Amino acid sequence: YVNARLEKETPIFNKQRIDFAPPEKINSLVVSSNQLCMSLGKDTLLRIDLGKPDEPNQVELGRKDEAKVYKMFLDHTGSHLLIALNTSECLYLNRSVQKVRALSRWKGHLIESVGWNKFLGSETNTGPILVGTYQGQIYEAEISVSEGSLFSTNPDQYFRQVYTLEEESGPAPVCCLEIERGLEGKFFIIATTRKRLFQFVGKVPEGTEQQGFSSIFAVHADHLPSFREFPANLGFSEIAFYTPKLRSSPRSFAWMMGNGVLYGTLDYSRPDSILSDERVWVYPPDIDITVNKPISIVLTQFHFLLLLPDRVKAVCTLNGQVVFQDLFLEKFGLLTRMIKDPTVQQIWIHTEKVVFRYHVQRESRDVWKMYMNMNKFDLAKEYCKDRPECLDIVLAKEAEHCFQNKRYLDSAKCYALTQNYFEEIALKFIEAKQEEALMEFLIKKLSNLKPSEKTQTTLLTTWLTELYLNWLGILQGDPSQRNLYLDTREKFRTFLSSPKNKDCLFNNRASIYELLASHGDTEHMVYFAVIMQDYERVVAHHCQHDEYDEALNVLSRHKDEKLFYKFSPVLIQHIPKKVVDAWISMGSRLDARNLIPALVNYSQSASTQQINEAIRYMEFCVYQLEETQQAIHNYLLSLYALCRPDSLLSYLEQAGTNPNRIHYDLKYALRLCAEHGHHRACVHIYKVMELYEEAVDLALQVDVDLAKSCADLPEDDEELRKKLWLKIARHVVQEEKDVKKAMACLSSCALLKIEDVLPFFPDFVTIDHFKEAICNSLEDYNKHIEELKREMEEATQSAKRIREDIQEMRNKYGSVEPQEKCAACDFPLLNRPFYLFLCGHMFHYDCLLQAVFPNLPAYKQAKLEDLQKKLAATSQPSKSHHRPKDADTISLGKGQQSREQIKADIDDIVAAECVYCGELMIRSIDKPFIDPQKYEEEMQSWL
């Protein structure tokens, strides 16, 4: 760290002169809760609210005699002001009023001190308070300001004596009084004289606090309370307290007396004395109590300030050293008094002419050094935790202190937090042969590294691994160190599995593996591999040591498919059933195709029982996972063909006969079955391949019934079926020489006739063997001839009826009324040539042509256009519309026949059917109303 200040640091106690010129000399000054009261001259009192310093309030005491202000006392709220006069009188002034009131019951007592009640006091009532006099008496009193009639009654409610303080020579002035409340309703009252500090301890019953403290003093009526006494005498004493912010009770005290300053803390949990950790700091050498005795004392968190006639000294409460001295110029006069406002922690000093104020700024800035020099390192770190450069110094000092005291582990922890050179510290522990402390140092140093410091992290991680392995090796060989070995092993494993070290260990795992191997620590090598999720190395280790079950457990636990593929060939050689069980538990996550090589190698050298495990897994893939990969089905076929012929045929039959839904290779299956002589399976495959002739040929070698079932398969090809049945018949006749079976073939297939089978029989066979078959055949022929005759007669009758219908149609006619209209154009029908259909619809020739033409096939459209051209060519021009029929017939002559024929052909095309009732109308159902090519144009016309 670079420790440089860019500007001058402000002092802890920063003095400020108040811009105030008093009209008269200042007699006394008190401050509390930002309220300042000042006695000027003989009869003037000045009150200033420091929140509004420009609005001072001046009050006249109204005294005509020679009385002077002796002392003033202001309560913790800044509301109640007591003014003690040198004439043994006391005045009272409330902050809310302008008139000073005399306290009649207090008359005759020179007031030296007041103990305010911080627990029951308010702005209008002080609650029970304690008053100390110059004569040594302690009185209990209460002052109350009634609202409405402000001073209609005396403000002092009561004033009664409760105790008298004495020294060895008799009653002594009560210099200071303080009331504090502890735990469980216990009260502590501190009272001081010139040489003694008394403590009164007692409980005030709950609910009776308003009755005062008489009960506490009554306990000590017959005997003295506990007290501290010192021989030297200043002629007076003063006690100061320090109350931290946000707390209502003081934490420490400082009592200025003849021998020095008694400093200590306040412990409210103690039963008899609130004072704790007491020590006496003697006055600095330049203070001679016979010449320049201290006047006042003020206590802060770490210092007490002593007021001398011409200067202020600040002494550290930690070491008693003077850390600050402020000399005042003679022109200001002698310093009179120093007080502190407990609420805002400001210190006030005044002379007869000038007022000064001290601000306490960052008082704890150098406290860490003092604690460090006192070897109180925890406190030193507490007070410099926000200053890293100071914290580093403290840690280094603590580390060195622990090292010198041979607390090496603590030293290592502290060194790891410092910025000292890493090499120096490491060598220090190495020279001291403290490997355990060195490991602790490296661990702490590693935990403090940033993620960006990868090189340092790698170095420390590798070094720690080496140290751990060395230490474990030493401990493992010593049976007496078994517990330490187990503890160190657990720490090493925690180190390896630490999430913070994970990335570094992973990136440098090769080096770590080498270190573990060099030490022969296979146990931690496996442990490290598991942490790194390097399961391949773990499984390989188990396999090398014949721990196949452990290897399979690792695979099953982490379910890594690639590792299954890699190590299955080894594992299945030794624990086939467990491996197959593991494969099945993996289900569809494993690709069975990648496991086939392991199964092939295994099945080639294994027994039938072991092959059954391979079949079990393949069946699981096929039937449970419903695998469709051809390689899987082919391999299962090969296993069936090799070991389970019965399962082979059932598998083929279950696969079906649809080639598109079969997942095995038909040609491979056929070759496989043929090699192993599984003929029935071959027949089934031939049937699937629709090679029926080969199926029948092979089936005849096995079973005639099987061949018959094959022969009936080609249902759509009668010629092939007949051919197949002839093969069967020939085999039965020629090979089996069984005439009865041959005749049974005739009855099984309707396509075979006796004449088809006869050529297969030998010449010496007598007709008796198939007499019945021949008779049945002849009867069938007779039946067929009779059916043909009947069909011929029915055809003759049909032809006769058709001729009669044609003749009838020629003579059929229809009548047309003059008012009839064309069904298409709705104009009178008789104006132009027209057609009349049997359905009753009538069309003009040109209207019908226009409706029919677009729906005709292209070739008919072309033929119709050609006929129209020919008809136009044969027509003759006529000048008269009323020619006799005979003249027309004579003039046309021979061409009339051609014209009539053309018209007939046109009629056959145009008037073949009614355009509304015929097939044309049916075919036009799905035709759009608007031509798709003209749709856009039509749509735009509607917009």
Side-chain angles (χ1 to χ4, degrees):
Y1 289 102
V2 177
N3 189 6
R5 294 193 176 105
L6 300 180
E7 59 184 22
K8 186 177 180 180
E9 188 174 33
T10 58
I12 295 175
F13 302 100
N14 188 20
K15 182 174 68 175
Q16 175 189 7
R17 180 182 175 181
I18 303 301
D19 186 13
F20 172 70
E24 300 180 78
K25 69 175 184 178
I26 303 173
N27 299 321
S28 181
L29 184 146
V30 288
V31 180
S32 182
S33 295
N34 235 15
Q35 301 294 319
L36 184 146
C37 297
M38 188 186 306
S39 171
L40 301 176
K42 176 183 176 183
D43 198 46
T44 303
L45 189 66
L46 190 65
R47 295 188 297 183
I48 301 174
D49 184 350
L50 296 178
K52 304 173 184 178
D54 298 332
E55 302 177 7
N57 176 247
Q58 185 171 324
V59 179
E60 299 297 330
L61 298 181
R63 302 290 294 190
K64 303 299 183 181
D65 53 13
E66 296 298 322
K68 295 181 181 179
V69 174
Y70 176 65
K71 284 185 179 181
M72 293 198 304
F73 309 94
L74 187 62
D75 80 319
H76 63 286
T77 66
S79 301
H80 306 282
L81 177 64
L82 292 174
I83 308 164
L85 303 178
N86 59 358
T87 57
S88 299
E89 295 179 84
C90 191
L91 307 178
Y92 171 75
L93 179 64
N94 190 275
R95 185 170 64 179
S96 60
V97 299
Q98 286 289 105
K99 188 176 180 180
V100 177
R101 293 288 296 182
L103 301 177
S104 58
R105 293 187 175 92
W106 296 40
K107 192 172 182 179
H109 301 284
L110 183 60
I111 307 302
E112 282 285 341
S113 59
V114 175
W116 297 102
N117 193 326
K118 294 176 287 187
F119 315 104
L120 297 178
S122 64
E123 293 183 359
T124 59
N125 189 288
T126 62
I129 61 174
L130 297 177
V131 180
T133 68
Y134 183 79
Q135 293 79 17
Q137 293 94 6
I138 297 177
Y139 288 87
E140 184 180 77
E142 182 176 357
I143 301 174
S144 177
V145 180
S146 57
E147 300 180 4
S149 56
L150 194 55
F151 288 113
S152 59
T153 58
N154 290 331
D156 49 338
Q157 302 297 310
Y158 62 88
F159 190 77
R160 57 175 174 260
Q161 183 177 350
V162 293
Y163 202 79
T164 300
L165 294 183
E166 295 183 357
E167 294 180 352
E168 69 276 2
S169 60
V174 182
C175 299
C176 299
L177 281 170
E178 181 74 15
I179 304 171
E180 295 298 336
R181 182 168 61 184
L183 304 176
E184 299 176 354
K186 185 179 292 186
F187 280 84
F188 297 88
I189 299 173
I190 297 175
T192 66
T193 61
R194 292 167 295 188
K195 298 168 57 177
R196 292 182 178 181
L197 187 150
F198 294 87
Q199 291 185 77
F200 298 89
V201 182
K203 283 189 177 182
V204 176
E206 186 176 356
T208 64
E209 293 89 347
Q210 197 67 40
Q211 298 177 7
F213 308 103
S214 302
S215 59
I216 298 176
F217 289 100
V219 176
H220 303 283
D222 299 330
H223 62 277
L224 285 174
S226 63
F227 64 90
R228 295 291 308 274
E229 184 174 12
F230 294 90
N233 186 355
L234 290 175
F236 63 93
S237 70
E238 185 174 345
I239 191 167
F241 296 90
Y242 168 69
T243 304
K245 291 182 179 180
L246 306 178
R247 288 187 59 179
S248 60
S249 300
R251 191 177 69 181
S252 57
F253 74 97
W255 180 39
M256 184 183 70
M257 42 75 182
N259 291 85
V261 175
L262 177 66
Y263 174 79
T265 58
L266 301 178
D267 186 354
Y268 297 94
S269 62
R270 299 180 66 181
D272 299 325
S273 175
I274 193 175
L275 307 183
S276 177
D277 299 330
E278 301 172 47
R279 70 182 69 179
V280 176
W281 295 117
V282 298
Y283 294 120
D286 59 343
I287 296 179
D288 184 357
I289 62 173
T290 60
V291 180
N292 58 341
K293 61 179 68 175
I295 302 169
S296 293
I297 186 171
V298 162
L299 181 62
T300 63
Q301 185 176 5
F302 297 105
H303 303 84
F304 58 83
L305 280 72
L306 295 174
L307 181 68
L308 300 171
D310 62 345
R311 71 193 64 191
V312 173
K313 287 181 178 289
V315 180
C316 179
T317 58
L318 300 177
N319 55 16
Q321 300 296 316
V322 177
V323 298
F324 172 78
Q325 179 172 273
D326 192 5
L327 188 64
F328 287 76
L329 299 177
E330 292 183 3
K331 66 177 183 178
F332 298 134
L334 296 178
L335 301 179
T336 306
R337 184 165 174 76
M338 176 173 61
I339 55 176
K340 185 181 76 169
D341 186 345
T343 57
V344 294
Q345 305 295 327
Q346 290 180 349
I347 301 169
W348 296 78
I349 297 176
H350 72 91
T351 67
E352 291 183 349
K353 299 184 289 185
V354 185
V355 179
F356 297 93
R357 178 170 57 187
Y358 281 94
H359 293 276
V360 183
Q361 296 180 336
R362 295 176 54 232
E363 184 182 3
S364 62
R365 68 183 73 173
D366 294 324
V367 170
W368 64 273
K369 290 182 183 178
M370 302 172 191
Y371 279 128
M372 180 182 70
N373 295 330
M374 296 164 63
N375 293 335
K376 294 183 178 181
F377 299 109
D378 290 338
L379 291 172
K381 288 184 284 188
E382 179 68 24
Y383 285 101
C384 63
K385 58 185 178 182
D386 55 344
R387 300 170 65 184
E389 72 281 359
C390 302
L391 181 61
D392 187 69
I393 298 173
V394 174
L395 289 170
K397 182 71 179 292
E398 183 182 6
E400 185 64 28
H401 175 76
C402 293
F403 193 89
Q404 291 175 357
N405 288 277
K406 297 184 179 182
R407 292 163 47 202
Y408 297 111
L409 287 177
D410 294 335
S411 177
K413 293 176 183 178
C414 294
Y415 269 131
L417 300 174
T418 68
Q419 299 297 319
N420 291 22
Y421 290 115
F422 172 83
E423 299 84 353
E424 292 181 1
I425 300 170
L427 287 172
K428 199 169 186 177
F429 286 113
I430 292 173
E431 291 172 357
K433 297 182 180 180
Q434 295 295 323
E435 286 195 5
E436 188 177 0
L438 176 60
M439 290 166 58
E440 185 68 28
F441 169 69
L442 296 179
I443 291 171
K444 292 294 182 182
K445 203 70 178 175
L446 179 62
S447 65
N448 294 330
L449 290 178
K450 300 176 182 177
S452 59
E453 297 174 317
K454 295 183 179 180
T455 303
Q456 293 90 328
T457 303
T458 302
L459 172 65
L460 294 182
T461 302
T462 308
W463 193 1
L464 275 168
T465 303
E466 176 69 19
L467 290 174
Y468 268 121
L469 291 173
N470 285 336
W471 188 240
L472 286 171
I474 294 171
L475 295 176
Q476 192 173 17
D478 189 353
S480 63
Q481 300 289 335
R482 179 63 178 171
N483 292 334
L484 181 58
Y485 167 76
L486 295 176
D487 184 54
T488 306
R489 185 183 68 174
E490 187 62 30
K491 290 181 179 179
F492 181 43
R493 292 186 174 185
T494 303
F495 167 75
L496 292 177
S497 59
S498 171
K500 187 173 183 179
N501 303 333
K502 184 177 181 181
D503 291 340
C504 178
L505 290 171
F506 182 80
N507 295 330
N508 299 278
R509 59 188 182 279
S511 301
I512 304 298
Y513 281 131
E514 290 177 5
L515 285 174
L516 292 167
S518 66
H519 285 267
D521 195 342
T522 56
E523 178 186 0
H524 284 106
M525 181 181 289
V526 173
Y527 182 81
F528 180 68
V530 172
I531 293 173
M532 294 292 103
Q533 297 183 357
D534 188 1
Y535 303 117
E536 181 178 352
R537 186 180 293 269
V538 177
V539 176
H541 169 80
H542 289 311
C543 290
Q544 289 171 2
H545 292 78
D546 297 336
E547 298 170 351
Y548 301 110
D549 288 331
E550 287 295 326
L552 184 60
N553 289 337
V554 174
L555 291 177
S556 301
R557 189 162 54 247
H558 299 288
K559 303 183 185 302
D560 190 329
E561 297 86 354
K562 294 181 180 179
L563 294 182
F564 267 103
Y565 300 147
K566 182 172 183 178
F567 291 100
S568 288
V570 177
L571 296 176
I572 201 169
Q573 299 289 338
H574 301 88
I575 46 174
K577 185 178 185 305
K578 293 181 179 179
V579 171
V580 171
D581 290 339
W583 288 352
I584 292 175
S585 66
M586 286 289 288
S588 59
R589 279 179 288 188
L590 288 179
D591 188 348
R593 291 178 300 174
N594 296 328
L595 297 173
I596 289 177
L599 291 171
V600 170
N601 293 333
Y602 168 67
S603 61
Q604 288 177 350
S605 59
S607 64
T608 303
Q609 182 179 1
Q610 293 170 323
I611 292 177
N612 288 337
E613 295 298 329
I615 293 176
R616 181 162 70 95
Y617 181 65
M618 288 292 104
E619 287 179 340
F620 170 76
C621 295
V622 170
Y623 298 120
Q624 300 295 326
L625 301 182
E626 299 180 353
E627 286 283 355
T628 59
Q629 298 293 334
Q630 192 177 74
I632 297 173
H633 288 263
N634 288 346
Y635 183 57
L636 180 59
L637 266 175
S638 68
L639 294 175
Y640 279 151
L642 183 65
C643 296
R644 293 188 187 176
D646 297 337
S647 300
L648 173 64
L649 187 59
S650 63
Y651 165 77
L652 293 174
E653 292 174 350
Q654 188 173 352
T657 57
N658 187 347
N660 297 325
R661 296 184 179 180
I662 289 176
H663 304 301
Y664 58 85
D665 186 343
L666 289 168
K667 295 180 180 179
Y668 171 76
L670 182 61
R671 179 174 61 81
L672 196 66
C673 295
E675 287 178 357
H676 291 85
H678 303 310
H679 296 305
R680 287 184 177 274
C682 290
V683 171
H684 178 82
I685 296 171
Y686 277 134
K687 291 193 293 184
V688 176
M689 299 173 69
E690 298 183 355
L691 300 175
Y692 301 116
E693 292 189 40
E694 290 82 352
V696 170
D697 290 340
L698 185 58
L700 289 174
Q701 299 177 21
V702 179
D703 185 7
V704 174
D705 292 334
L706 179 61
K708 290 180 180 180
S709 65
C710 296
D712 283 332
L713 291 177
E715 297 177 354
D716 299 333
D717 191 345
E718 291 186 355
E719 183 179 352
L720 177 59
R721 285 174 59 201
K722 184 176 182 179
K723 182 177 179 181
L724 296 177
W725 276 104
L726 286 174
K727 282 178 177 287
I728 296 171
R730 177 183 294 173
H731 174 81
V732 171
V733 173
Q734 295 180 353
E735 300 296 332
E736 298 185 5
K737 297 182 177 12
D738 191 337
V739 178
K740 292 184 178 180
K741 279 189 177 182
M743 293 302 101
C745 289
L746 292 179
S747 61
S748 300
C749 181
L751 300 177
L752 288 184
K753 305 297 181 184
I754 186 61
E755 60 268 25
D756 298 326
V757 181
L758 284 177
F760 302 146
F761 289 97
D763 297 337
F764 55 81
V765 176
T766 60
I767 196 171
D768 294 338
H769 292 89
F770 36 86
K771 175 180 178 181
E772 183 179 354
I774 292 175
C775 293
N776 292 335
S777 179
L778 291 176
E779 289 179 1
D780 290 339
Y781 278 126
N782 288 333
K783 291 179 180 178
H784 186 59
I785 291 171
E786 291 297 327
E787 289 179 0
L788 291 177
K789 286 181 179 180
R790 188 168 60 255
E791 289 176 0
M792 289 173 63
E793 291 177 358
E794 290 177 355
T796 302
Q797 294 294 327
S798 296
K800 181 178 178 182
R801 284 195 297 271
I802 289 171
R803 285 194 296 270
E804 291 175 354
D805 290 341
I806 291 172
Q807 186 63 33
E808 184 180 354
M809 286 297 294
R810 286 178 179 172
N811 299 326
K812 195 164 186 177
Y813 65 92
S815 60
V816 178
E817 300 294 332
Q819 66 274 15
E820 294 289 346
K821 296 181 179 180
C822 174
C825 66
D826 204 28
F827 281 97
L829 186 67
L830 300 179
N831 289 350
R832 299 197 301 273
F834 63 90
Y835 289 98
L836 172 63
F837 291 95
L838 293 176
C839 60
H841 288 115
M842 293 168 278
F843 300 92
H844 289 129
Y845 165 74
D846 54 344
C847 293
L848 183 62
L849 179 63
Q850 186 178 1
V852 171
F853 185 81
N855 297 288
L856 292 175
Y859 75 93
K860 283 193 176 183
Q861 290 181 353
K863 183 177 180 181
L864 181 59
E865 290 177 349
D866 184 55
L867 290 173
Q868 286 178 328
K869 290 178 181 178
K870 288 181 180 179
L871 180 62
T874 58
S875 62
Q876 298 294 328
S878 177
K879 295 181 181 179
S880 174
H881 296 285
H882 303 284
R883 275 192 308 184
K885 180 178 180 182
D886 293 341
D888 183 52
T889 303
I890 293 169
S891 64
L892 291 173
K894 186 178 178 180
Q896 183 66 29
Q897 290 257 313
S898 177
R899 181 181 176 82
E900 291 298 329
Q901 183 62 42
I902 291 170
K903 284 186 175 181
D905 292 340
I906 292 174
D907 290 343
D908 289 341
I909 296 173
V910 175
E913 60 182 359
C914 175
V915 71
Y916 286 172
C917 301
E919 293 183 4
L920 179 62
M921 181 59 66
I922 296 173
R923 289 197 302 270
S924 66
I925 287 176
D926 58 351
K927 183 178 179 182
F929 290 109
I930 302 174
D931 189 350
Q933 297 179 353
K934 298 181 180 180
Y935 179 79
E936 291 294 334
E937 180 181 351
E938 185 69 23
M939 188 175 66
Q940 290 295 331
S941 67
W942 282 82
L943 296 178

